[in-house]
Each structure stands twice: as structure tokens, then as C-alpha cells.
Amino acid sequence: MTDIPRLPLIDRDQAALTIKRLYPNEGDASNITKALAGSPDTLAAMAPFLAQVMNASTIDYATKEVVVLRVSAVNRCDYCVPTHAVVATKAGFSAEAVALLASDEAPDERLEPRHRVLAEYCDRVVGDANDVDDDLLERMREHFEDHELVELTVLAGASTTLNYVAPIAELPLDSATLATR
């Protein structure tokens, strides 16, 4: 990772009118937002979708962070892993749990059972979704309803999409992430 991205980062004052509303009024937008703003129509289409799958629903925010952090780790996204390690810490995960989710280690008792099976699910979905067998689905159903399985799977896919953009762009870490290091 470098300090100079390979794709332009579009600041609020440079952003197309159709996407300025996606920038915060106070502070700075994330570098992933700025990179996506290079394609305003893409960002305009993705923003509501990402908001839907990433914001709390019947699935709490911390559980969604398990998906985002673990998928980012499996995809080896140097921008997303440290960014979401900070978010996972703020969501209440211990440093030990965050380190496990951010690694390539198999999920173990450092995670509560619900999050442990979800991390295993993420490993398999990202590795090869055909490896999600009936046993794993049954263990997931001990903790999640079927509509939540759909939502968590879509979240894994959305995270993977962003995990592709960040390394291609060689995004530098955001100042908020750097401030925690």
C-alpha cells in the first residue's frame, strides 16, 4: 500500500452533483467513497444498496462487522482490514477477537458461537460458495433465520466488491484509521 492511489480520489468539491449528498457535511469521506466517486453513476447506484446491506436490520451491527472484517481478511484487502478492525473494536469486539477475524486462522472459541460459525461461513462463501454444505447451513440456522442468511451472503458479496476496488486503486488508509494505530 502506498500513499499515492492509482485511481483518483474525488473530493466533495470535485464530485458530480448527483453524488455530493453522499459525502458527509462535516469531516472527510472515506477513500473508498472518493475512489467510487470517479464513476458517479456507479456510486449513485451502489450507495443505497450498500446502505441497505451494511446498516443494522434484524441483524445487529456487530454481527455485520464479522462479515465485513472476515471477508476482507480472506480477500486480503490491505485497506479494508485495518479500516474494519477499527470499526469492529468500536462495535465491542475484543482485540483478540478482532485479530482472529482479521487473520487467516480458523475461527475458534475466541469468538462466541454465533460469530464463530458466521466466520466459517464467510471463509467458505469467499473461498468457494459451493463448499457451503448442508452441515454448515444447519449450524448457521441455529443462529440465523433464512432471510438473514440471504442478507449475510449478500453482505459478503458487497464486501468482496469493495475488496476488489481498494487494492486496484491502492487506497491509502483513511485518517480515522491511521489515528488508531
Side-chain angles (χ1 to χ4, degrees):
M1 187 178 323
T2 68
D3 289 335
I4 301 170
R6 293 194 292 185
L7 294 176
L9 302 182
I10 309 299
D11 288 317
R12 189 177 207 285
D13 60 336
Q14 302 166 308
L17 288 175
T18 56
I19 59 170
K20 278 188 191 263
R21 64 182 168 71
L22 301 174
Y23 283 71
N25 290 327
E26 301 289 324
D28 202 13
S30 67
N31 286 335
I32 192 82
T33 299
K34 291 177 183 179
L36 290 169
S39 178
D41 292 341
T42 299
L43 178 55
M46 286 184 71
F49 170 73
L50 292 172
Q52 176 64 40
V53 297
M54 292 185 147
N55 291 331
S57 59
T58 61
I59 302 167
D60 63 277
Y61 188 66
T63 299
K64 288 191 173 192
E65 264 314 304
V66 169
V67 174
V68 176
L69 180 54
R70 188 61 177 199
V71 166
S72 296
V74 173
N75 285 323
R76 298 185 342 243
C77 181
D78 291 340
Y79 171 83
C80 301
V81 170
T83 299
H84 285 278
V86 171
V87 176
T89 301
K90 289 179 181 176
F93 287 96
S94 69
E96 192 175 43
V98 170
L100 175 61
L101 288 168
S103 75
D104 60 1
E105 291 181 58
D108 62 26
E109 69 282 343
R110 290 175 281 181
L111 298 175
E112 63 180 66
R114 169 183 169 102
H115 293 155
R116 186 179 321 140
V117 71
L118 180 55
E120 180 184 347
Y121 182 76
C122 290
D123 290 353
R124 291 213 209 159
V125 166
V126 174
D128 182 349
N130 291 307
D131 287 340
V132 177
D133 56 20
D134 291 341
D135 173 64
L136 179 54
L137 268 182
E138 201 53 44
R139 289 186 290 125
M140 285 288 288
R141 284 186 172 121
E142 292 173 15
H143 305 281
F144 303 101
E145 300 291 326
D146 284 345
H147 69 93
E148 293 173 323
L149 290 174
V150 171
E151 187 175 343
L152 292 165
T153 304
V154 171
L155 177 58
S159 297
T160 294
T161 298
L162 297 176
N163 295 160
Y164 290 169
V165 173
I168 298 294
E170 286 189 0
L171 295 179
L173 294 176
D174 298 316
S175 57
T177 302
L178 291 170
T180 64
R181 293 185 132 193

